[in-house]
Amino acid sequence: MNLALINGPNLNLLGTREPEIYGSLTLPQLVARVTEHAATLGFGIESFQSNVEGELVTYIQQARGSSQGIIINPAGYSHTSVAIRDAISAVGLPTIEVHLSNIFAREEFRHHSHVSAVAKGVICGCGVKGYLLAVDALAELLK
Ligand code: DQA
């Protein structure tokens, strides 16, 4: 059983990008933490990051063939992308949306995510722990 771990734009800069908001872990370190945790529950992780909206859409479409669930931090596209929302809806895989920061405690334009309505759950403001909680949530949903 595999989970797709999808990170959107600018998350490749984790570790150096506004660490007071997003923490000091790099993306490879984050992926390693999630992979390690998923393995304890019997899941493999298929990780993908892109700064390009269409590439994220294509990856979500292809996840149907290789993964049983999706963990996604759509980053800035959360607030703008109908296409990513539609892709998640189209593939029908249980999806948990994750944000490192508490988007509701930040600028107003971050308060709405197009993805939330098609996600099984949304976790925000818990930092990297949010991704581990998302693995737990999907493991429970896929039982
Ligand atoms: C983010 C929050 C978004 O508003 C922002 O555009 C990001 C990261 C987070 O993980 O907190 O790039 O998704």
Side-chain angles (χ1 to χ4, degrees):
M1 295 263 266
N2 285 321
L3 304 176
L5 171 60
I6 303 173
N7 282 289
N10 299 306
L11 293 171
N12 55 314
L13 300 179
L14 281 180
T16 57
R17 177 192 181 197
E18 299 174 277
E20 65 288 359
I21 298 176
Y22 299 115
S24 55
L25 226 58
T26 65
L27 185 61
Q29 288 168 337
L30 184 153
V31 173
R33 287 273 292 275
V34 177
T35 303
E36 203 175 290
H37 181 63
T40 67
L41 297 169
F43 289 94
I45 291 290
E46 305 266 344
S47 171
F48 181 71
Q49 188 278 331
S50 178
N51 296 322
V52 180
E53 185 176 14
E55 287 181 5
L56 292 162
V57 168
T58 300
Y59 193 83
I60 292 163
Q61 290 179 4
Q62 290 168 354
R64 187 155 44 183
S66 56
S67 296
Q68 283 68 48
I70 295 174
I71 298 166
I72 184 165
N73 183 346
Y77 288 138
S78 315
H79 318 300
T80 63
S81 179
V82 173
I84 289 175
R85 179 214 186 276
D86 285 350
I88 290 169
S89 184
V91 299
L93 292 173
T95 296
I96 306 291
E97 177 183 357
V98 176
H99 300 280
L100 291 156
S101 65
N102 179 357
I103 55 174
F104 301 103
R106 301 182 62 196
E107 302 95 325
E108 190 143 359
F109 67 85
R110 297 186 202 275
H111 295 185
H112 178 262
S113 164
H114 289 285
V115 172
S116 301
V118 294
K120 283 275 184 204
V122 182
I123 301 168
C124 79
C126 300
V128 173
K129 177 77 180 175
Y131 287 84
L132 308 182
L133 294 171
V135 171
D136 292 345
L138 283 176
E140 197 66 32
L141 283 166
L142 293 167
K143 248 189 199 162

